Amino acid sequence: GQNIDQPTEMTATEGAIVQINCTYQTSGFNGLFWYQQHAGEAPTFLSYNVLDGLEEKGRFSSFLSRSKGYSYLLLKELQMKDSASYLCAVRFIKAAGNKLTFGGGTRVLVKP
Amino acid sequence: DSGVTQTPKHLITATGQRVTLRCSPRSGDLSVYWYQQSLDQGLQFLIQYYNGEERAKGNILERFSAQQFPDLHSELNLSSLELGDSALYFCASSARQGIDEQYFGPGTRLTVT
C-alpha cells in the first residue's frame, strides 16, 4: 500500500523545538508536502521536498531522505498559534494526475 | 485566504437526500481536487479534475459524483446520503497537474441527520 505514518500527537512548550517525523513507502515516490491545519479550518501549505536535504522557511524546516522513505518537519521557537495538526502528504509517480496520499496528521499542542 | 472558494459553508440535511457542493479554484488554476475529512478517517482524496476532464479517482463512493465546468468551477454531488457521510468536504486547486502544491478552500461542513 501507500501508507504514510506519522505520530498521532505531540506536546511541547512555548519557545521550544518540535520535530514531527513522517515515513512512507519509497516505491514511486515523487514529492512530499507538509500542511498545517487548525481545527475546523483548511489545510495550508507549508513546504515541499522532492530532493534529499533540508528546506528552511523561517521557523519551519523540512527534511527529506528518499532512500530511507523519511521526512521530518521541524518547528522552532514554538508559539501558541502553532498548536494545530500537521499533515504529511506524498505524491506517488504512478498516481494519475496529482493525487496526494495524506498521513493521519500529527496534533501538536503547545503549552505555555 | 487561499483564493479557493467553497459554498455553502455549512449544510444540514436528512438521510436519503441529495446535495451539491460548489468550488471555485484560484484564478488561473486548472486542476481541482475534492477531499473528505471525517473525525476518524483523516483527509481522504475523492477525485481530481484537470481542465474539465477527470484525471484521478480515489475512495469516492458510487453515490458521489463530480464535474468541472468550462469556467473551471467544480461541483461535488452527494446522493442517497447516509449518517456516515457527515464530514468536512474540502476542495483544493493547483496550477497544473504535475508538481504544484495544492491550495485548499475553507471547506463545507456537511451534517446528515
Side-chain angles (χ1 to χ4, degrees):
Chain A
Q2 297 176 334
N3 288 342
I4 315 295
D5 293 317
Q6 49 181 131
T8 306
E9 211 168 271
M10 301 181 76
T11 302
T13 306
E14 193 175 13
I17 298 173
V18 70
Q19 177 175 313
I20 305 168
N21 297 325
C22 172
T23 58
Y24 59 88
Q25 172 198 310
T26 57
S27 174
F29 173 83
N30 194 29
L32 186 144
F33 297 80
W34 283 97
Y35 283 83
Q36 180 192 60
Q37 186 179 26
H38 287 98
E41 297 182 10
T44 55
F45 170 75
L46 289 178
S47 68
Y48 170 65
N49 295 72
V50 67
L51 300 175
D52 290 349
L54 189 68
E55 295 279 342
E56 296 188 83
K57 262 188 188 182
R59 294 188 299 112
F60 293 3
S61 304
S62 57
F63 171 83
L64 177 68
S65 169
R66 288 173 296 170
S67 62
K68 293 182 180 176
Y70 168 69
S71 173
Y72 68 72
L73 179 70
L74 196 69
L75 316 180
K76 293 180 275 191
E77 300 169 20
L78 279 171
Q79 302 175 9
M80 298 300 291
K81 67 178 181 178
D82 297 330
S83 291
S85 284
Y86 292 84
L87 311 178
C88 173
V90 176
R91 183 174 56 236
F92 292 97
I93 200 167
K94 289 183 181 177
N98 191 10
K99 174 189 168 185
L100 294 182
T101 301
F102 280 82
T106 299
R107 192 180 312 163
V108 172
L109 176 62
V110 180
K111 294 186 172 179
Chain B
D1 184 357
S2 67
V4 179
T5 60
Q6 289 186 248
T7 56
K9 195 170 175 63
H10 300 278
L11 198 49
I12 301 174
T13 189
T15 54
Q17 295 299 305
R18 172 190 167 95
V19 297
T20 297
L21 313 183
R22 182 189 169 105
C23 168
S24 291
R26 292 187 317 159
S27 177
D29 282 1
L30 298 179
S31 269
V32 168
Y33 314 79
W34 286 98
Y35 292 88
Q36 179 192 55
Q37 188 175 42
S38 50
L39 282 174
D40 58 348
Q41 291 286 334
L43 202 60
Q44 299 289 318
F45 169 74
L46 294 178
I47 198 164
Q48 178 204 354
Y49 281 83
Y50 176 77
N51 204 20
E53 293 189 7
E54 182 185 306
R55 287 296 183 177
K57 233 173 181 176
N59 302 319
I60 187 166
L61 300 172
E62 285 190 11
R63 300 183 286 109
F64 296 180
S65 65
Q67 54 184 328
Q68 186 180 28
F69 294 87
D71 67 352
L72 300 178
H73 91 271
S74 178
E75 293 180 357
L76 179 67
N77 301 296
L78 316 175
S79 61
S80 303
L81 284 168
E82 302 175 358
L83 295 177
D85 298 327
S86 295
L88 262 172
Y89 290 84
F90 287 106
C91 167
S93 74
S94 69
R96 298 165 293 181
Q97 60 172 345
I99 64 170
D100 302 305
E101 62 266 28
Q102 298 176 22
Y103 292 88
F104 283 76
T108 293
R109 181 172 293 280
L110 174 67
T111 302
V112 182
T113 62

